[in-house]
Amino acid sequence: MPLKSRLAALFEQGSRLIRRYPGTVALFGFCSGIASFVLVERHAGLAKVIAATMLASWLWLMLENSLRRGLERHFGWKVPRPVLRYVTQMVHQESLFFIIPFFFITTTWNSGQAVFTVILGVAALVSLVDPLYYKWLAPRRWVYLAFHALTLFAVLLTALPIIFHLSTPQSYLCSLIIAVLLALPSLRGLFPEWNWKSMIAVPLLAAIVGLAGWVGRTWVPPATLWLNDVAVTMSMDDASREPGNRLRQLSSRELHGNGLYAFTAINAPRGLKERIFHVWEHNGRRVDRIPLDISGGRDAGYRAWTHKRNFPNKAQGRWRVRVMTEAGQMIGMLRFEVTE
């Protein structure tokens, strides 16, 4: 049997199996996504391979129509639409269930970041349920475009620091630019005719999406940075890099005696070097912003602390130390209270 006929028969058989057992696609996407996250966490050497595979699958997804037409024109291989449709769904599922554990860990749930992570969770649920994905999402062009761009953006936020050791600000900016550029063909499809109005509207719409993404960066968790341990303490052991007694409340006299340490152990990908900030706030007002340089790769997280001495005379009230990236994304928060 010629190669062309064998491939056509293989595609047709795959199409029949998918139509007969549609739930297996969802199950495979879910399991492979979770397995990828676990492998990244357990074996740092596989992290780049898995992240690169995720990006390669998205490259295929972006070129899907061009590849399908090229195969049909040059080789006469006609890939059935059901196969392409289910492969697209599987890429969405694998991507979402690979990145959601990262965002679940890194989200500060009592902040606006919870909204972004919940939206990703809803998107993952939609990708699993065929009636929602095919009958509600796919026919609505705007909604599907937003779904597609959001998933790609989240994948890039997770993969770029792992593969290229980009800092959080660099990863965010690159992810936003790439997602907007790759969304341009889809934005073009929103306009039935290509004229001067659509030539202005497409880049303008892309610029609005990019600006909204940059302004809203504080609502997006840093996908590959999270806190393994935190403590507010009055003493630090420099040799063991361990905090002393952990405090939730202290008196004003104790505070002014020797100051206070904010200790954080931050998990980061191997090879990543990042500048973060401890932002000290008193009753919601920022009083200090202290920089720290961290390096990734340590299983227990990179242990670092700031020691603040210059507290105001009237220091009573609620304090918090927000752990922030240079891009303004919050990694986590420490809270304590100062009494009379």
Side-chain angles (χ1 to χ4, degrees):
M1 182 184 293
L3 178 61
K4 175 182 173 180
S5 301
R6 286 202 299 267
L7 284 173
L10 183 62
F11 286 143
E12 183 58 34
Q13 184 180 6
S15 179
R16 285 198 304 269
L17 288 173
I18 287 174
R19 286 196 297 266
R20 186 173 180 182
Y21 306 105
T24 56
V25 177
L27 181 62
F28 179 79
F30 171 79
C31 293
S32 60
I34 297 297
S36 298
F37 168 76
V38 172
L39 287 172
V40 166
E41 281 296 285
R42 299 291 188 275
H43 306 282
L46 291 175
K48 289 186 178 182
V49 176
I50 293 172
T53 303
M54 289 290 172
L55 290 184
S57 66
W58 271 90
L59 181 62
W60 177 89
L61 197 59
M62 292 299 173
L63 301 175
E64 173 192 327
N65 290 330
S66 301
L67 290 174
R68 178 173 54 83
R69 288 194 295 266
L71 287 173
E72 189 172 350
R73 180 167 56 252
H74 296 295
F75 301 99
W77 301 340
K78 188 173 182 179
V79 183
R81 285 192 175 274
V83 174
L84 291 173
R85 183 179 65 179
Y86 280 113
V87 169
T88 301
Q89 182 188 16
M90 188 173 68
V91 171
H92 282 142
Q93 290 169 351
E94 284 193 346
S95 301
L96 286 165
F97 285 104
F98 169 66
I99 62 176
I100 279 178
F102 285 99
F103 284 98
F104 185 83
I105 294 173
T106 58
T107 297
T108 303
W109 289 99
N110 58 349
S111 71
Q113 292 179 351
V115 176
F116 183 85
T117 304
V118 167
I119 290 174
L120 285 180
V122 172
L125 178 64
V126 169
S127 73
L128 276 180
V129 182
D130 286 354
L132 288 176
Y133 187 85
Y134 292 112
K135 295 181 180 179
W136 179 79
L137 177 66
R140 291 169 171 80
R141 184 67 180 170
W142 275 91
V143 181
Y144 184 77
L145 171 61
F147 178 92
H148 198 69
L150 175 68
T151 308
L152 172 61
F153 176 61
V155 168
L156 290 169
L157 284 177
T158 307
L160 292 182
I162 296 173
I163 300 174
F164 302 109
H165 302 154
L166 298 182
S167 67
T168 303
Q170 292 170 333
S171 299
Y172 193 92
L173 184 59
C174 290
S175 300
L176 191 59
I177 292 173
I178 293 171
V180 170
L181 288 177
L182 292 180
L184 283 175
S186 299
L187 292 174
R188 163 69 183 88
L190 296 174
F191 300 92
E193 296 182 2
W194 188 243
N195 50 38
W196 68 271
K197 292 183 179 179
S198 56
M199 291 177 66
I200 295 174
V202 169
L204 181 61
L205 187 57
I208 292 172
V209 172
L211 180 61
W214 182 253
V215 172
R217 66 190 182 278
T218 56
W219 286 49
V220 180
T224 53
L225 297 177
W226 63 83
L227 297 177
N228 281 350
D229 190 18
V230 297
V232 174
T233 180
M234 297 180 66
S235 62
M236 284 293 307
D237 187 330
D238 290 338
S240 64
R241 301 179 70 87
E242 291 291 340
N245 293 332
R246 299 166 186 255
L247 305 172
R248 295 287 294 177
Q249 188 179 83
L250 71 160
S251 69
S252 179
R253 184 175 180 178
E254 290 173 321
L255 181 71
H256 287 96
N258 192 38
L260 205 61
Y261 293 88
F263 168 83
T264 51
I266 300 175
N267 185 292
R270 190 177 304 278
L272 178 68
K273 296 185 182 299
E274 178 101 9
R275 167 159 284 198
I276 65 161
F277 296 88
H278 281 182
V279 181
W280 294 71
E281 297 179 350
H282 178 217
N283 292 332
R285 184 176 63 87
R286 192 176 84 176
V287 296
D288 217 340
R289 184 172 181 262
I290 307 175
L292 288 170
D293 293 316
I294 65 170
S295 298
R298 293 172 175 83
D299 292 337
Y302 187 91
R303 291 174 289 182
W305 58 88
T306 54
H307 185 195
K308 181 172 173 58
R309 295 176 179 270
N310 55 331
F311 287 93
N313 292 328
K314 295 183 179 180
Q316 296 86 356
R318 298 185 181 278
W319 285 80
R320 64 182 183 182
V321 182
R322 293 198 296 161
V323 187
M324 308 288 291
T325 69
E326 282 188 297
Q329 295 170 273
M330 184 161 58
I331 306 172
M333 188 185 304
L334 300 82
R335 298 176 184 271
F336 64 96
E337 185 176 0
V338 177
T339 61
E340 291 288 348

